[in-house]
Amino acid sequence: MTQKKKNHIWNPAAEKMARPELEALQLQRLRDTMGYAALHVPFYRKLFSKEGISPDDIRSLPDILGIPFTTKQDLQEGYPYGFFAVPLKDVVRLHSSSGTTGKPTVVGYTRKDLDIWSELIARLLYAGGVSQEDIIQISFGYGMFTGGFGLHYGAEKIGAAVVPVSSGNTNRQIMIMKDFGTTALVCTPSYSLFLAESIEEAGISKDDLKLRFGLFGGEPWTESMRRQIEKRLGIQATDNYGLSEVMGPGVSYECLEQKGMHLAEDHFLFEIIDPDTGKVLPPGETGELVITTLTKEAVPVIRYRTRDITRIISEPCACGRSSRRMSKPSGRTDDMLIIRGVNVFPSQIETVLMQMEETDPHYQLVITREGALDELEVHVEIKDAFFSDEMRVMNELAARIARNMKNALGLSAKIKLVEPKTLQRTEGKAAHVLDMRRHLKNR
Ligand code: DLL
């Protein structure tokens, strides 16, 4: 394993700002954002006047509690430009969310928004070990997804050599990685694992590569998956979170301590609420993340419900940054599966699978309904070394997985073992769930 680079901070003045100073800055920016949104976004103008809210009422950060939430549905109803606070002549870039649930949401950036975005990506890259000496291969999709272009401009800002390969064409990715001497890889965690698998298959040893750091994000992944990626690629892997509705990557980023993602608190305000009641939870409790943008010009959002489930960590980090951190999101409120009344997140199933040495983190959950009863079938890839032609051996393994799942989650599932490398791989975000009940409902 490479030597740890610590305290590698891009913008110490901002990232190590004393908390009282940071909170005063947040308050000032919150009031400015509210005044700005009331003036330029009809949705907020109407909302504030209906609720009798004025930016002058915000005298301390907790005063934000009186403001109603903004939801994904609100943004969708404004499709495409309803939430824009500036005329299109001032917009220099447009991105959109993937739109797997209904209409996509369209987000715009002014030149100042792009400058701030690059600044936050520069912080992210330094935190993950990357500097101007690195050759950074960006294997996120370049397109409407914010991953590719988002990382790109921050990487140029710090002066790294950027290889904008985008996603897909795995053989070419590996060739470039080897021939160009890539030192830092940027993609989704699931794609990094697929790359690791393909590199091994091609008979390339990790010692033939110069990779040292992996900066991943865009989807949930577990600690055990991180360990596996680090081992197979010989890198230090950090996690990065963000969402297009508030900017894209750069909202929070992990440092090499690998103990949660530092929140970019000078540009966003973070809260954790109970997703059922909407009440703000006490510090440290797990709930839904709510974000308010503090400096966005093109599309400011106030108290946006992300639907991501996480926890805020307030204890100081050994890296010296003063920001609080968020733990790895365990899933989304709309990802939660209710199977025969049991609430489960795909990440919990992944954790059970990853605790067993025989299984790979490639799995698919297929949920169907037989009459009134939900059935969960888990398709699991078995590692090459453990795959057997003997039925008895495979049945015994399937029974053990089913038992572990029952013990950990209280859920019975049918386990279907599949041969190594047979489940579909993705170049972007992995799709682990096939919920056939949704198709039934939609008919
Ligand atoms: O995924 C932005 C991004 C790109 C972040 C690259 C990091 C790296 P969207 O496509 O709008 O934006 O998807 C946002 O993805 O609400 C989470 O549910 C999920 N997500 C993003 N990063 C993480 C992460 C980008 N590190 C949605 N862990 C978010 C878990 C994540 N989930």
Side-chain angles (χ1 to χ4, degrees), residues 140 145-147 217-220 239-244 249 308 329 332 429:
F140 275 133
F145 177 53
T146 50
E219 64 181 3
D239 192 7
N240 298 287
Y241 168 87
L243 62 164
S244 27
D308 292 314
R332 295 171 56 83
K429 304 190 187 208

Side-chain angles (χ1 to χ4, degrees), residues 365-386:
L365 312 179
V366 183
I367 307 140
T368 52
R369 181 165 287 161
E370 289 290 324
L373 216 56
D374 302 326
E375 288 288 342
L376 169 65
E377 196 169 278
V378 185
H379 298 188
V380 194
E381 262 185 31
I382 301 302
K383 287 197 185 118
D384 245 335
F386 295 95

Side-chain angles (χ1 to χ4, degrees), residues 34-50:
M34 285 186 56
Y36 177 77
L39 205 59
H40 299 290
V41 185
F43 173 87
Y44 288 118
R45 188 178 320 132
K46 277 191 220 130
L47 185 70
F48 295 168
S49 98
K50 185 167 141 241

Side-chain angles (χ1 to χ4, degrees), residues 173-193:
Q173 299 270 0
I174 298 172
M175 184 193 79
I176 288 176
M177 199 179 282
K178 194 159 167 273
D179 297 350
F180 290 20
T182 301
T183 56
L185 173 67
V186 172
C187 59
T188 56
S190 53
Y191 190 54
S192 77
L193 205 55

